[in-house]
Amino acid sequence: MQEANVATRPTTAQAITKKWNKDKVRKFLMGSKDKEGFIKVFAIYALLICIGFIYIYPILYMISSSFMTLDDLLDSSIKWIPSSLNLNNYIQAAKSMDFWMSLLKSVILAGVPTIGNLISCALAGYGLARFEFPGKKLAIGLIVFTFILPAQITMIATYRLYNDIGILNSIWAFILPSVLAVGLNAPIFILIFYQFFKQVPKVLIEAAQIDGAGYLKSFLQISVPSAAPAFITVGLFSFVWYWNESYLTQMYVSGAVSGANIGNKGWSWTTLVVELDQFAANYNEYAQTSGSQAVSLNESINMAGTMLSILPLLLMYFVLQRYFVESIDRTGITGE
């Protein structure tokens, strides 16, 4: 009898060990309450890698092609790594685009209306969030409607309006609407501020009013510091959208020469994106004036010009990405 018990003990121990190993493998693959399983994590990361590759592939191809010489482009054996770093492509593209002057104009055309959007949309969003008045729901509905309304529908009427009030073909075609909270994509910025200011605890506003602060003072000292994430988000989105807008810039702003003369040329408002749209014509003109110093336009020079147009935004994002991610995360804070 004792010999039978001794014989069964290893079998029972082996069964327990085998079951424990199965449970361990199952938890590793499928996960548990405290930890996600390998299959789920692998699927998420594989999906993210695929999506990231789709987005980063054009940029990698653009960078690689921008450093290639004409011989590299014609050589079928060279796909990604050029035989040498041909910086002359960037030099010629920068000269044809008048890079530094176009960069200054781009910063002004994107930065000044962004400041106007921040101030006006913050005031509009705060008013909608903190005050009750007749027609409030109608006003919010109109804001949402103007956001989903295609810009092409109102483009001709807007052009006539700007022409009638005398701001067409000047930077005021971007500045004045932004100051009045009707700038580029202003409705979505108003809604962002509206949703965020609703989350600021009312007790803070009431405490400030008890201490003698008026509406404007409570807005500047209580609501604005609390809404820093919203300001960062709106500022970045507004700047990027104004920077990338080429069609409206050419229609409303870049149509004529205005302002003081610079050399023999007038101050014509343009941006790097507009210069990129006209890159072929600008480069041919540059090649004719520079003579033998410029080579014929090819894909590498086109890619170099494209990289120059997006490089400031890439640098801005790398510098501000931590603050941008924090601002998106903090917009989820709940309040009264």
Side-chain angles (χ1 to χ4, degrees):
M1 191 68 177
Q2 293 179 354
E3 293 179 356
N5 292 334
V6 172
T8 57
R9 285 174 186 172
T11 304
T12 304
Q14 292 176 358
I16 294 173
T17 303
K18 186 176 181 180
K19 183 178 180 181
W20 183 80
N21 289 333
K22 288 182 177 180
D23 291 339
K24 187 176 180 180
V25 172
R26 183 183 61 80
K27 289 181 179 180
F28 173 75
L29 294 176
M30 306 303 297
S32 60
K33 294 181 179 180
D34 301 329
K35 186 178 180 180
E36 294 181 346
F38 173 79
I39 295 178
K40 182 179 179 180
V41 173
F42 177 80
I44 293 175
Y45 276 92
L47 180 62
L48 291 176
I49 291 173
C50 292
I51 296 175
F53 177 77
I54 293 173
Y55 279 96
I56 202 173
Y57 174 84
I59 297 178
L60 294 178
Y61 176 79
M62 189 187 310
I63 295 174
S64 175
S65 299
S66 65
F67 288 105
M68 291 185 180
T69 62
L70 184 59
D71 294 335
D72 293 338
L73 293 175
L74 298 177
D75 191 350
S76 60
S77 63
I78 297 179
K79 297 296 183 181
W80 285 97
I81 302 177
S83 59
S84 62
L85 296 180
N86 185 21
L87 297 177
N88 191 45
N89 293 333
Y90 283 90
I91 295 174
Q92 296 191 50
K95 289 181 179 179
S96 66
M97 297 173 68
D98 194 9
F99 177 75
W100 294 111
M101 183 58 67
S102 298
L103 176 62
L104 175 62
K105 295 175 182 178
S106 298
V107 172
I108 295 175
L109 279 175
V112 177
T114 295
I115 296 174
N117 272 338
L118 288 173
I119 297 174
S120 60
C121 294
L123 290 172
Y126 181 79
L128 291 172
R130 286 302 175 203
F131 300 101
E132 297 293 335
F133 54 88
K136 176 180 176 179
K137 293 183 179 180
L138 177 61
I140 296 176
L142 289 176
I143 292 173
V144 174
F145 177 74
T146 55
F147 174 68
I148 64 177
L149 187 68
Q152 292 79 3
I153 295 178
T154 60
M155 191 173 296
I156 302 301
T158 303
Y159 185 90
R160 291 289 302 273
L161 175 63
Y162 290 174
N163 184 57
D164 292 341
I165 63 179
I167 64 173
L168 195 63
N169 301 327
S170 69
I171 192 176
W172 288 103
F174 276 177
I175 296 178
L176 187 59
S178 67
V179 172
L180 300 177
V182 289
L184 186 62
N185 295 321
I188 189 63
F189 301 147
I190 295 175
L191 294 177
I192 290 175
F193 281 117
Y194 167 71
Q195 292 294 336
F196 193 89
F197 284 133
K198 283 183 63 178
Q199 297 174 357
V200 177
K202 292 181 180 179
V203 292
L204 296 178
I205 306 296
E206 294 172 353
Q209 292 176 348
I210 292 175
D211 291 338
Y215 292 115
L216 182 59
K217 189 174 182 179
S218 61
F219 168 72
L220 295 176
Q221 296 186 357
I222 303 297
S223 298
V224 170
S226 301
F231 278 94
I232 295 175
T233 303
V234 170
L236 287 175
F237 278 131
S238 179
F239 188 88
V240 170
W241 280 334
Y242 273 108
W243 182 282
N244 291 329
E245 184 56 59
S246 62
Y247 187 76
L248 295 181
T249 302
Q250 290 176 301
M251 175 175 285
Y252 299 146
V253 180
S254 303
V257 175
S258 60
N261 289 333
I262 300 178
N264 295 326
K265 294 184 179 180
W267 182 273
S268 178
W269 287 105
T270 185
T271 64
L272 287 175
V273 178
V274 173
E275 292 295 318
L276 183 63
D277 289 343
Q278 304 170 353
F279 185 76
N282 292 336
Y283 185 82
N284 291 332
E285 181 181 354
Y286 159 74
Q288 292 176 1
T289 57
S290 59
S292 59
Q293 297 178 359
V295 299
S296 59
L297 183 63
N298 55 54
E299 183 182 358
S300 294
I301 299 177
N302 272 323
M303 292 301 175
T306 306
M307 277 300 303
L308 289 175
S309 67
I310 67 173
L311 185 61
L313 290 183
L314 292 177
L315 294 177
M316 183 185 70
Y317 175 74
F318 283 129
V319 173
L320 300 177
Q321 61 173 328
R322 179 170 65 89
Y323 304 101
F324 179 69
V325 173
E326 289 178 358
S327 67
I328 294 295
D329 181 64
R330 289 182 60 189
T331 52
I333 299 176
T334 59
E336 293 185 15

